[in-house]
Coordinates of all heavy atoms in Angstrom, one line a residue:
M1 N 102.3 117.7 82.7 CA 101.6 116.5 82.9 C 102.2 115.4 82.2 O 102.5 115.5 81.0 CB 100.1 116.7 82.5 CG 99.2 115.8 83.3 SD 97.5 116.4 83.3 CE 97.0 116.3 81.6
G2 N 102.3 114.3 82.8 CA 103.0 113.2 82.2 C 102.1 112.2 81.5 O 100.9 112.1 81.8
K3 N 102.7 111.4 80.6 CA 102.0 110.3 80.0 C 102.6 109.0 80.4 O 103.8 108.9 80.6 CB 102.1 110.5 78.4 CG 101.5 111.7 77.9 CD 100.3 111.3 77.0 CE 99.8 112.6 76.3 NZ 98.5 112.3 75.7
R4 N 101.7 108.1 80.5 CA 102.2 106.7 80.9 C 101.7 105.7 79.8 O 100.7 106.0 79.1 CB 101.6 106.3 82.2 CG 102.2 107.2 83.4 CD 103.7 106.9 83.6 NE 104.2 107.7 84.6 CZ 104.3 107.4 85.9 NH1 103.9 106.2 86.2 NH2 104.8 108.2 86.7
T5 N 102.3 104.6 79.7 CA 101.8 103.6 78.8 C 101.2 102.5 79.6 O 101.7 102.1 80.6 CB 103.0 103.1 77.9 OG1 104.2 103.2 78.6 CG2 103.0 103.7 76.6
C6 N 100.2 102.0 79.0 CA 99.5 100.8 79.6 C 100.4 99.6 79.4 O 100.9 99.4 78.3 CB 98.1 100.6 78.9 SG 97.4 99.1 79.3
E7 N 100.6 98.8 80.4 CA 101.5 97.6 80.3 C 101.0 96.6 79.3 O 101.8 95.7 78.9 CB 101.7 97.0 81.7 CG 102.6 97.8 82.6 CD 103.0 97.1 83.9 OE1 103.1 95.9 83.8 OE2 103.2 97.8 84.8
L8 N 99.7 96.6 79.1 CA 99.1 95.5 78.3 C 98.9 95.9 76.8 O 99.3 95.2 75.9 CB 97.8 95.0 78.8 CG 98.0 94.2 80.1 CD1 96.6 93.8 80.7 CD2 98.8 92.9 79.9
C9 N 98.4 97.1 76.6 CA 98.1 97.4 75.2 C 99.1 98.4 74.6 O 99.1 98.7 73.4 CB 96.7 97.9 75.0 SG 96.3 99.4 75.8
G10 N 99.9 99.1 75.5 CA 100.9 100.0 75.0 C 100.3 101.4 74.7 O 101.1 102.2 74.2
H11 N 99.0 101.6 74.9 CA 98.5 102.9 74.6 C 99.0 103.9 75.6 O 99.2 103.6 76.8 CB 96.9 102.9 74.7 CG 96.3 102.3 73.5 ND1 95.2 101.5 73.5 CD2 96.6 102.5 72.2 CE1 94.9 101.2 72.2 NE2 95.7 101.8 71.4
E12 N 99.2 105.1 75.1 CA 99.6 106.2 76.0 C 98.4 106.8 76.6 O 97.4 107.1 76.0 CB 100.3 107.3 75.2 CG 101.8 107.0 75.0 CD 102.6 108.2 74.7 OE1 102.0 109.2 74.3 OE2 103.8 108.1 74.8
I13 N 98.4 107.0 77.9 CA 97.3 107.6 78.6 C 97.7 108.7 79.5 O 98.9 108.7 79.9 CB 96.5 106.5 79.4 CG1 96.8 105.1 78.9 CG2 95.0 106.8 79.5 CD1 97.3 104.2 79.8
E14 N 96.9 109.6 79.8 CA 97.2 110.6 80.8 C 97.5 110.0 82.1 O 96.9 109.0 82.5 CB 96.0 111.6 80.9 CG 95.7 112.4 79.7 CD 96.8 113.3 79.2 OE1 97.5 113.8 80.1 OE2 96.9 113.4 78.0
L15 N 98.4 110.6 82.8 CA 98.9 110.1 84.1 C 97.7 109.7 85.0 O 97.8 108.6 85.6 CB 99.8 111.1 84.8 CG 100.6 110.6 85.9 CD1 101.5 109.4 85.5 CD2 101.5 111.7 86.5
E16 N 96.7 110.5 85.2 CA 95.7 110.2 86.1 C 94.8 109.0 85.7 O 94.2 108.4 86.5 CB 94.7 111.4 86.3 CG 95.3 112.7 86.7 CD 95.9 113.4 85.6 OE1 95.2 113.6 84.6 OE2 97.1 113.8 85.6
A17 N 94.8 108.8 84.4 CA 93.9 107.8 83.8 C 94.5 106.4 84.1 O 93.7 105.4 84.2 CB 93.7 108.0 82.4
T18 N 95.8 106.3 84.2 CA 96.3 105.0 84.5 C 96.5 104.7 86.0 O 97.1 105.6 86.7 CB 97.7 104.8 83.9 OG1 98.3 106.0 83.8 CG2 97.7 104.0 82.6
E19 N 96.0 103.6 86.4 CA 96.2 103.3 87.8 C 96.9 102.0 88.0 O 96.9 101.2 87.1 CB 94.8 103.3 88.5 CG 94.3 104.7 88.6 CD 92.9 104.7 89.2 OE1 92.6 103.8 90.1 OE2 92.1 105.5 88.8
E20 N 97.4 101.8 89.2 CA 98.0 100.5 89.4 C 97.0 99.6 90.0 O 96.2 99.9 90.9 CB 99.2 100.7 90.4 CG 100.3 101.5 89.7 CD 101.7 101.1 90.3 OE1 101.7 100.6 91.4 OE2 102.6 101.3 89.5
Y21 N 97.0 98.4 89.5 CA 96.1 97.4 89.9 C 96.9 96.2 90.4 O 97.8 95.7 89.7 CB 95.1 96.9 88.8 CG 94.3 98.1 88.3 CD1 94.6 98.7 87.1 CD2 93.2 98.6 89.1 CE1 93.8 99.7 86.6 CE2 92.5 99.6 88.6 CZ 92.8 100.2 87.4 OH 92.1 101.3 86.9
H22 N 96.5 95.6 91.5 CA 97.1 94.4 92.0 C 96.6 93.2 91.2 O 95.4 93.2 91.0 CB 96.9 94.2 93.5 CG 97.8 95.1 94.3 ND1 99.1 94.8 94.7 CD2 97.6 96.4 94.7 CE1 99.6 95.8 95.3 NE2 98.7 96.8 95.4
I23 N 97.4 92.3 90.8 CA 97.0 91.2 90.0 C 96.1 90.3 90.9 O 95.1 89.8 90.5 CB 98.2 90.4 89.5 CG1 98.9 91.2 88.4 CG2 97.9 89.0 89.0 CD1 100.3 90.7 88.0
V24 N 96.5 90.2 92.2 CA 95.7 89.4 93.1 C 94.8 90.4 93.9 O 95.3 91.3 94.5 CB 96.5 88.6 94.1 CG1 95.7 87.8 95.1 CG2 97.4 87.6 93.3
P25 N 93.5 90.3 93.8 CA 92.6 91.2 94.5 C 92.9 91.3 96.0 O 93.3 90.3 96.6 CB 91.2 90.7 94.2 CG 91.3 89.8 93.1 CD 92.7 89.2 93.1
G26 N 92.6 92.5 96.6 CA 92.9 92.8 98.0 C 92.3 91.8 99.0 O 93.1 91.4 99.9
G27 N 91.1 91.3 98.8 CA 90.5 90.4 99.7 C 91.3 89.1 99.8 O 91.5 88.5 100.9
V28 N 91.6 88.6 98.6 CA 92.4 87.3 98.6 C 93.8 87.5 99.2 O 94.2 86.6 99.9 CB 92.5 86.8 97.1 CG1 93.3 85.6 97.0 CG2 91.1 86.6 96.5
R29 N 94.4 88.6 98.9 CA 95.7 88.9 99.4 C 95.7 88.9 100.9 O 96.6 88.3 101.6 CB 96.3 90.2 99.0 CG 96.7 90.3 97.5 CD 97.7 91.4 97.3 NE 97.3 92.7 97.9 CZ 96.5 93.6 97.4 NH1 96.0 93.4 96.2 NH2 96.3 94.8 98.0
E30 N 94.7 89.5 101.5 CA 94.5 89.6 102.9 C 94.4 88.2 103.5 O 95.1 87.9 104.5 CB 93.3 90.4 103.2 CG 93.5 91.4 104.4 CD 92.4 92.4 104.4 OE1 91.3 92.0 105.0 OE2 92.5 93.5 103.9
Q31 N 93.5 87.4 103.0 CA 93.2 86.1 103.5 C 94.4 85.2 103.4 O 94.6 84.3 104.2 CB 92.0 85.5 102.8 CG 90.7 86.1 103.2 CD 89.5 85.5 102.4 OE1 89.7 84.5 101.6 NE2 88.4 86.0 102.6
A32 N 95.1 85.3 102.3 CA 96.3 84.5 102.1 C 97.5 85.0 102.8 O 98.6 84.3 102.8 CB 96.6 84.4 100.5
G33 N 97.4 86.2 103.4 CA 98.6 86.7 104.1 C 99.7 87.2 103.2 O 100.9 87.1 103.6
I34 N 99.4 87.6 102.0 CA 100.4 88.1 101.0 C 100.7 89.5 101.3 O 99.8 90.4 101.2 CB 99.9 87.8 99.6 CG1 99.7 86.3 99.3 CG2 100.9 88.4 98.6 CD1 99.1 86.0 98.0
Q35 N 101.9 89.9 101.5 CA 102.3 91.2 101.8 C 102.6 92.0 100.5 O 102.1 93.1 100.3 CB 103.5 91.3 102.7 CG 103.4 90.5 104.0 CD 102.5 91.2 105.0 OE1 102.3 92.4 104.9 NE2 101.9 90.4 105.9
N36 N 103.5 91.4 99.7 CA 103.9 92.0 98.5 C 103.3 91.3 97.3 O 103.6 90.1 97.1 CB 105.4 92.0 98.4 CG 106.0 92.8 99.5 OD1 105.7 94.0 99.8 ND2 107.0 92.2 100.2
S37 N 102.5 92.0 96.5 CA 102.0 91.4 95.3 C 102.3 92.4 94.2 O 102.4 93.6 94.4 CB 100.5 91.1 95.4 OG 99.8 92.2 95.1
R38 N 102.4 91.8 93.0 CA 102.8 92.6 91.9 C 101.6 93.5 91.5 O 100.4 93.0 91.4 CB 103.1 91.7 90.7 CG 104.1 92.4 89.7 CD 104.4 91.4 88.6 NE 104.3 92.2 87.4 CZ 103.8 91.7 86.2 NH1 103.5 90.4 86.2 NH2 103.7 92.4 85.2
A39 N 101.9 94.7 91.1 CA 100.9 95.6 90.6 C 101.3 96.1 89.2 O 102.4 96.2 88.9 CB 100.8 96.9 91.5
V40 N 100.3 96.2 88.4 CA 100.5 96.6 87.0 C 99.8 97.9 86.7 O 98.7 98.2 87.3 CB 100.1 95.5 86.0 CG1 101.0 94.3 86.1 CG2 98.7 95.0 86.3
R41 N 100.3 98.7 85.8 CA 99.7 99.9 85.4 C 98.9 99.7 84.1 O 99.5 99.3 83.1 CB 100.8 101.0 85.2 CG 100.2 102.4 84.9 CD 101.2 103.4 84.9 NE 101.7 103.7 86.2 CZ 103.0 103.5 86.6 NH1 103.9 103.0 85.8 NH2 103.4 103.8 87.8
L42 N 97.6 99.8 84.2 CA 96.7 99.5 83.1 C 95.8 100.7 82.7 O 95.5 101.5 83.6 CB 95.8 98.3 83.4 CG 96.5 97.0 83.9 CD1 95.4 96.0 84.2 CD2 97.4 96.5 82.8
C43 N 95.5 100.8 81.5 CA 94.5 101.8 81.1 C 93.1 101.2 81.5 O 92.9 100.0 81.7 CB 94.6 102.0 79.6 SG 94.0 100.7 78.5
P44 N 92.1 102.1 81.6 CA 90.8 101.6 82.0 C 90.2 100.5 81.2 O 89.5 99.6 81.7 CB 89.9 102.9 81.9 CG 90.9 104.0 82.0 CD 92.1 103.5 81.3
N45 N 90.5 100.6 79.9 CA 89.9 99.5 79.0 C 90.5 98.1 79.3 O 89.7 97.2 79.4 CB 90.2 99.8 77.5 CG 89.4 101.0 77.0 OD1 88.4 101.4 77.6 ND2 89.8 101.5 75.9
C46 N 91.8 98.1 79.5 CA 92.4 96.8 79.8 C 92.0 96.3 81.2 O 91.8 95.1 81.4 CB 93.9 96.9 79.7 SG 94.6 97.0 78.0
H47 N 91.8 97.3 82.1 CA 91.4 96.9 83.4 C 90.0 96.2 83.4 O 89.8 95.2 84.0 CB 91.4 98.1 84.4 CG 91.1 97.7 85.8 ND1 90.1 98.2 86.5 CD2 91.7 96.8 86.6 CE1 90.0 97.6 87.7 NE2 91.0 96.8 87.8
D48 N 89.1 96.9 82.6 CA 87.7 96.3 82.5 C 87.8 94.9 81.9 O 87.1 94.0 82.4 CB 86.9 97.2 81.5 CG 86.3 98.4 82.3 OD1 86.5 98.5 83.5 OD2 85.7 99.2 81.6
E49 N 88.6 94.8 80.8 CA 88.8 93.5 80.2 C 89.3 92.4 81.1 O 88.9 91.3 81.1 CB 89.7 93.7 79.0 CG 89.1 93.2 77.7 CD 90.1 93.4 76.6 OE1 90.5 94.5 76.3 OE2 90.6 92.3 76.0
L50 N 90.3 92.9 81.9 CA 90.9 92.0 82.9 C 89.9 91.4 83.9 O 89.9 90.3 84.2 CB 92.1 92.6 83.6 CG 92.8 91.8 84.7 CD1 93.5 90.6 84.0 CD2 93.8 92.7 85.4
L51 N 89.0 92.3 84.4 CA 88.0 91.9 85.4 C 87.1 90.9 84.7 O 86.7 89.9 85.4 CB 87.3 93.1 85.9 CG 88.1 94.1 86.8 CD1 87.2 95.2 87.3 CD2 88.8 93.3 87.9
K52 N 86.7 91.1 83.5 CA 85.8 90.1 82.8 C 86.6 88.8 82.6 O 86.0 87.7 82.8 CB 85.4 90.7 81.4 CG 84.4 91.8 81.6 CD 83.9 92.2 80.2 CE 83.1 93.5 80.4 NZ 83.6 94.6 79.4
W53 N 87.8 88.9 82.3 CA 88.7 87.7 82.1 C 88.7 86.9 83.4 O 88.5 85.7 83.4 CB 90.1 88.1 81.7 CG 91.0 87.1 81.4 CD1 91.8 86.4 82.3 CD2 91.4 86.5 80.2 NE1 92.6 85.5 81.7 CE2 92.4 85.5 80.4 CE3 91.0 86.7 78.8 CZ2 93.0 84.8 79.4 CZ3 91.6 86.0 77.8 CH2 92.5 85.0 78.1
Y54 N 88.9 87.6 84.5 CA 88.9 87.0 85.8 C 87.6 86.3 86.1 O 87.6 85.1 86.5 CB 89.2 88.0 86.9 CG 90.7 88.4 87.1 CD1 91.0 89.4 88.0 CD2 91.7 87.6 86.5 CE1 92.3 89.7 88.2 CE2 93.0 88.0 86.7 CZ 93.3 89.0 87.6 OH 94.7 89.3 87.8
S55 N 86.5 87.0 85.9 CA 85.2 86.4 86.3 C 84.9 85.2 85.4 O 84.2 84.3 85.8 CB 84.1 87.4 86.3 OG 84.0 88.0 85.0
A56 N 85.5 85.1 84.2 CA 85.2 84.0 83.3 C 86.2 82.8 83.6 O 85.8 81.7 83.4 CB 85.4 84.4 81.8
R57 N 87.4 83.1 84.1 CA 88.4 82.1 84.3 C 88.8 81.7 85.6 O 89.4 80.6 85.8 CB 89.6 82.5 83.5 CG 89.4 82.3 82.0 CD 90.4 83.0 81.2 NE 89.9 83.3 79.9 CZ 90.1 82.6 78.8 NH1 90.9 81.6 78.9 NH2 89.6 82.9 77.7
V58 N 88.6 82.6 86.6 CA 89.0 82.2 87.9 C 87.8 81.6 88.7 O 86.9 82.3 88.9 CB 89.6 83.4 88.7 CG1 90.0 83.1 90.1 CG2 90.8 84.0 87.9
A59 N 88.0 80.4 89.1 CA 86.9 79.7 89.8 C 87.2 79.9 91.3 O 88.3 79.6 91.7 CB 86.8 78.3 89.5
T60 N 86.2 80.3 92.1 CA 86.4 80.6 93.5 C 86.1 79.3 94.3 O 86.3 79.3 95.5 CB 85.6 81.7 94.0 OG1 84.2 81.5 93.7 CG2 86.1 83.0 93.3
T61 N 85.5 78.3 93.6 CA 85.1 77.1 94.4 C 85.7 75.9 93.7 O 86.1 75.9 92.6 CB 83.5 77.0 94.4 OG1 83.1 77.0 93.1 CG2 82.9 78.0 95.2
I62 N 85.7 74.9 94.5 CA 86.3 73.6 94.0 C 85.3 72.5 94.4 O 84.7 72.6 95.5 CB 87.7 73.4 94.5 CG1 88.4 72.2 93.9 CG2 87.7 73.2 96.1 CD1 89.9 72.1 94.2
Y63 N 85.2 71.5 93.6 CA 84.2 70.4 93.9 C 84.9 69.4 94.8 O 85.9 68.9 94.5 CB 83.7 69.7 92.6 CG 82.6 68.8 92.9 CD1 81.3 69.2 93.3 CD2 82.8 67.4 92.8 CE1 80.3 68.3 93.6 CE2 81.8 66.5 93.1 CZ 80.5 67.0 93.5 OH 79.5 66.1 93.8
D64 N 84.2 69.2 95.9 CA 84.7 68.2 96.9 C 83.9 66.9 96.7 O 82.7 66.8 97.0 CB 84.5 68.8 98.3 CG 85.1 67.9 99.4 OD1 85.2 66.6 99.1 OD2 85.5 68.4 100.4
A65 N 84.6 65.9 96.1 CA 83.9 64.7 95.7 C 83.4 63.9 96.9 O 82.4 63.2 96.9 CB 84.9 63.8 94.9
K66 N 84.2 64.0 98.0 CA 83.8 63.3 99.2 C 82.5 63.9 99.8 O 81.6 63.1 100.2 CB 85.0 63.4 100.2 CG 85.3 62.0 100.9 CD 86.3 62.2 102.0 CE 87.6 61.6 101.6 NZ 88.7 61.9 102.6
M67 N 82.5 65.2 99.9 CA 81.4 65.9 100.5 C 80.2 66.1 99.5 O 79.1 66.4 99.8 CB 81.8 67.3 101.0 CG 82.9 67.3 102.0 SD 82.5 66.7 103.6 CE 81.6 68.2 104.2
K68 N 80.5 65.8 98.2 CA 79.6 66.0 97.1 C 79.0 67.4 97.1 O 77.8 67.6 96.9 CB 78.5 64.9 97.2 CG 78.9 63.5 96.9 CD 77.8 62.6 96.7 CE 78.2 61.3 96.1 NZ 78.0 60.2 97.1
R69 N 79.9 68.3 97.3 CA 79.4 69.7 97.1 C 80.6 70.6 96.8 O 81.8 70.2 97.0 CB 78.6 70.2 98.3 CG 79.4 70.2 99.6 CD 78.5 70.7 100.7 NE 79.2 70.5 102.0 CZ 80.0 71.4 102.6 NH1 80.3 72.5 102.0 NH2 80.5 71.2 103.8
F70 N 80.3 71.8 96.4 CA 81.4 72.8 96.1 C 81.8 73.4 97.4 O 81.0 73.7 98.3 CB 80.9 73.8 95.1 CG 80.9 73.3 93.7 CD1 79.7 72.7 93.2 CD2 82.0 73.4 92.9 CE1 79.7 72.2 91.9 CE2 81.9 72.9 91.6 CZ 80.8 72.3 91.1
K71 N 83.1 73.7 97.5 CA 83.6 74.5 98.7 C 84.5 75.6 98.2 O 85.0 75.5 97.1 CB 84.3 73.5 99.7 CG 85.5 72.8 99.1 CD 86.2 72.0 100.1 CE 87.5 71.4 99.5 NZ 88.2 70.5 100.4
A72 N 84.7 76.5 99.0 CA 85.6 77.7 98.7 C 87.0 77.2 98.6 O 87.5 76.4 99.4 CB 85.5 78.8 99.7
K73 N 87.8 77.7 97.6 CA 89.2 77.3 97.5 C 90.0 78.0 98.5 O 89.7 79.2 98.9 CB 89.7 77.8 96.1 CG 89.5 76.8 95.0 CD 90.1 77.2 93.8 CE 89.6 76.4 92.6 NZ 89.9 77.0 91.3
P74 N 91.1 77.4 99.0 CA 92.0 78.1 100.0 C 92.5 79.4 99.3 O 92.8 79.4 98.1 CB 93.1 77.1 100.2 CG 92.5 75.8 99.7 CD 91.5 76.1 98.6
P75 N 92.7 80.4 100.1 CA 93.2 81.7 99.6 C 94.5 81.7 98.8 O 94.6 82.3 97.8 CB 93.3 82.6 100.9 CG 92.5 81.9 101.9 CD 92.4 80.5 101.6
L76 N 95.4 80.8 99.3 CA 96.7 80.8 98.6 C 96.5 80.2 97.2 O 97.2 80.6 96.2 CB 97.7 79.9 99.4 CG 98.7 80.7 100.3 CD1 99.6 79.7 101.0 CD2 99.5 81.7 99.5
E77 N 95.6 79.2 97.1 CA 95.3 78.6 95.8 C 94.7 79.7 94.9 O 94.9 79.8 93.7 CB 94.4 77.5 96.0 CG 94.8 76.2 95.2 CD 93.9 75.0 95.5 OE1 94.2 74.4 96.6 OE2 92.9 74.8 94.9
M78 N 93.8 80.5 95.5 CA 93.1 81.5 94.7 C 94.1 82.5 94.2 O 94.1 83.0 93.1 CB 92.1 82.3 95.7 CG 90.9 81.6 96.0 SD 89.9 81.2 94.5 CE 89.7 82.8 93.8
A79 N 95.1 82.9 95.0 CA 96.1 83.9 94.7 C 96.9 83.4 93.4 O 97.1 84.1 92.5 CB 97.0 84.2 95.8
K80 N 97.2 82.0 93.5 CA 97.9 81.5 92.3 C 97.1 81.5 91.1 O 97.6 81.7 90.0 CB 98.3 80.0 92.7 CG 99.6 80.0 93.5 CD 100.1 78.5 93.7 CE 101.0 78.4 94.9 NZ 100.8 77.3 95.7
E81 N 95.8 81.2 91.3 CA 94.9 81.2 90.1 C 94.9 82.6 89.4 O 94.8 82.7 88.2 CB 93.5 80.8 90.5 CG 93.4 79.3 90.7 CD 92.2 78.7 90.2 OE1 91.5 79.4 89.3 OE2 91.8 77.6 90.5
Y82 N 94.8 83.6 90.3 CA 94.7 85.0 89.8 C 96.0 85.3 89.0 O 96.0 85.9 87.9 CB 94.5 86.0 90.8 CG 93.1 86.2 91.2 CD1 92.5 85.7 92.4 CD2 92.2 86.8 90.3 CE1 91.2 85.9 92.7 CE2 90.8 87.0 90.6 CZ 90.4 86.5 91.8 OH 89.0 86.6 92.1
E83 N 97.2 84.9 89.6 CA 98.5 85.1 88.9 C 98.5 84.4 87.6 O 99.0 85.0 86.6 CB 99.6 84.7 89.8 CG 99.9 85.7 90.9 CD 100.8 85.2 92.0 OE1 101.2 84.1 92.0 OE2 100.9 86.0 93.0
A84 N 98.0 83.2 87.5 CA 98.1 82.4 86.3 C 97.1 83.0 85.3 O 97.4 83.2 84.1 CB 97.7 81.0 86.6
A85 N 95.9 83.5 85.8 CA 95.0 84.1 84.9 C 95.5 85.4 84.3 O 95.3 85.7 83.1 CB 93.7 84.4 85.6
Y86 N 96.2 86.1 85.1 CA 96.8 87.4 84.6 C 97.9 87.1 83.5 O 97.9 87.8 82.5 CB 97.4 88.2 85.7 CG 98.0 89.5 85.1 CD1 97.2 90.6 84.9 CD2 99.3 89.6 84.8 CE1 97.6 91.8 84.3 CE2 99.8 90.8 84.2 CZ 99.0 91.8 84.0 OH 99.4 93.0 83.4
R87 N 98.7 86.1 83.8 CA 99.7 85.7 82.8 C 99.1 85.4 81.4 O 99.5 85.8 80.4 CB 100.6 84.6 83.3 CG 101.7 85.0 84.1 CD 102.8 83.9 84.3 NE 102.3 82.7 84.8 CZ 102.2 82.4 86.1 NH1 102.5 83.3 87.0 NH2 101.7 81.3 86.6
M88 N 98.0 84.6 81.5 CA 97.3 84.2 80.3 C 96.7 85.4 79.6 O 96.7 85.5 78.4 CB 96.1 83.2 80.6 CG 96.6 81.8 80.8 SD 95.3 80.8 81.5 CE 94.1 80.9 80.1
F89 N 96.2 86.3 80.4 CA 95.6 87.5 79.8 C 96.7 88.4 79.1 O 96.4 88.9 78.0 CB 94.9 88.4 80.9 CG 94.2 89.6 80.4 CD1 93.1 89.5 79.6 CD2 94.6 90.9 80.8 CE1 92.5 90.6 79.2 CE2 94.0 92.0 80.4 CZ 92.9 91.9 79.5
A90 N 97.8 88.5 79.7 CA 98.9 89.3 79.1 C 99.4 88.7 77.8 O 99.6 89.4 76.9 CB 100.1 89.4 80.1
E91 N 99.4 87.3 77.8 CA 99.8 86.6 76.6 C 98.8 86.9 75.5 O 99.1 87.2 74.3 CB 100.0 85.1 76.8 CG 101.3 84.8 77.3 CD 101.3 83.3 77.8 OE1 100.6 82.5 77.2 OE2 102.1 83.0 78.8
Y92 N 97.5 86.8 75.9 CA 96.4 87.0 74.9 C 96.5 88.4 74.4 O 96.3 88.6 73.2 CB 95.1 86.7 75.7 CG 93.9 87.3 75.1 CD1 93.3 86.8 73.9 CD2 93.3 88.4 75.6 CE1 92.1 87.3 73.4 CE2 92.2 89.0 75.1 CZ 91.6 88.5 74.0 OH 90.5 89.0 73.5
K93 N 96.8 89.4 75.2 CA 96.8 90.8 74.7 C 98.0 91.0 73.8 O 98.0 91.8 72.9 CB 96.9 91.7 75.9 CG 95.7 91.8 76.8 CD 94.5 92.4 76.1 CE 94.6 93.9 76.1 NZ 93.4 94.5 75.5
N94 N 99.1 90.4 74.1 CA 100.4 90.5 73.4 C 100.3 89.9 72.0 O 101.0 90.3 71.1 CB 101.6 89.9 74.1 CG 102.0 90.8 75.2 OD1 101.8 92.0 75.2 ND2 102.6 90.3 76.2
R95 N 99.4 89.0 71.8 CA 99.3 88.3 70.5 C 98.6 89.2 69.5 O 98.7 89.0 68.3 CB 98.5 87.0 70.7 CG 99.4 85.8 71.0 CD 98.8 84.5 70.5 NE 97.5 84.3 71.2 CZ 97.5 83.6 72.4 NH1 98.5 83.2 73.0 NH2 96.3 83.4 73.0
R96 N 97.8 90.1 70.0 CA 97.0 91.0 69.0 C 97.8 92.1 68.4 O 98.8 92.5 69.0 CB 95.8 91.5 69.7 CG 94.8 90.4 70.0 CD 93.5 90.9 70.4 NE 93.5 91.7 71.6 CZ 92.5 92.3 72.1 NH1 91.3 92.2 71.5 NH2 92.6 92.9 73.3
Ligands
ZN1 ZN1 95.5 99.1 77.9

């Protein structure tokens, strides 16, 4: 049985425990028509943390001043936001 290291915290985990996660969630990739997106191998703890980070930092809506209401962001913009949020998360994890 092999061991793998989590890309973010460097902890060694049993092979089954580490899974690959796409930085950009499936629904967004589909809508944006993205075929290849980067996947990272994370331990369950880092993955949980990443999801919380996303929900705190990735806004799915944008304020439309003309319409005076919030509207959904275009999928490609969303994909870029997820990528940027992941980079910030990785930097934050590396600092500790
Ligand atoms: Zn980890």
Side-chain angles (χ1 to χ4, degrees):
M1 207 159 64
K3 294 243 186 197
R4 293 292 176 93
T5 25
C6 168
E7 285 188 31
L8 288 176
C9 68
H11 279 142
E12 276 201 343
I13 333 125
E14 296 297 325
L15 193 59
E16 305 81 50
T18 24
E19 286 177 36
E20 291 210 335
Y21 300 104
H22 285 270
I23 289 170
V24 179
V28 176
R29 289 203 312 275
E30 220 167 84
Q31 286 178 6
I34 297 170
Q35 306 286 338
N36 297 307
S37 85
R38 206 180 133 218
V40 286
R41 189 172 284 117
L42 304 179
C43 71
N45 289 344
C46 286
H47 184 238
D48 279 356
E49 235 181 295
L50 178 63
L51 293 182
K52 285 183 195 132
W53 181 275
Y54 276 173
S55 59
R57 283 165 205 261
V58 179
T60 55
T61 54
I62 189 168
Y63 189 68
D64 187 330
K66 223 187 252 174
M67 304 284 286
K68 290 197 171 114
R69 62 180 170 88
F70 285 90
K71 61 176 186 186
K73 271 188 196 162
L76 265 178
E77 225 172 277
M78 287 297 304
K80 277 185 198 142
E81 285 222 15
Y82 276 108
E83 279 161 10
Y86 182 81
R87 275 197 301 275
M88 278 170 65
F89 183 65
E91 274 170 31
Y92 158 79
K93 296 291 284 183
N94 284 335
R95 271 204 299 271
R96 290 194 296 180

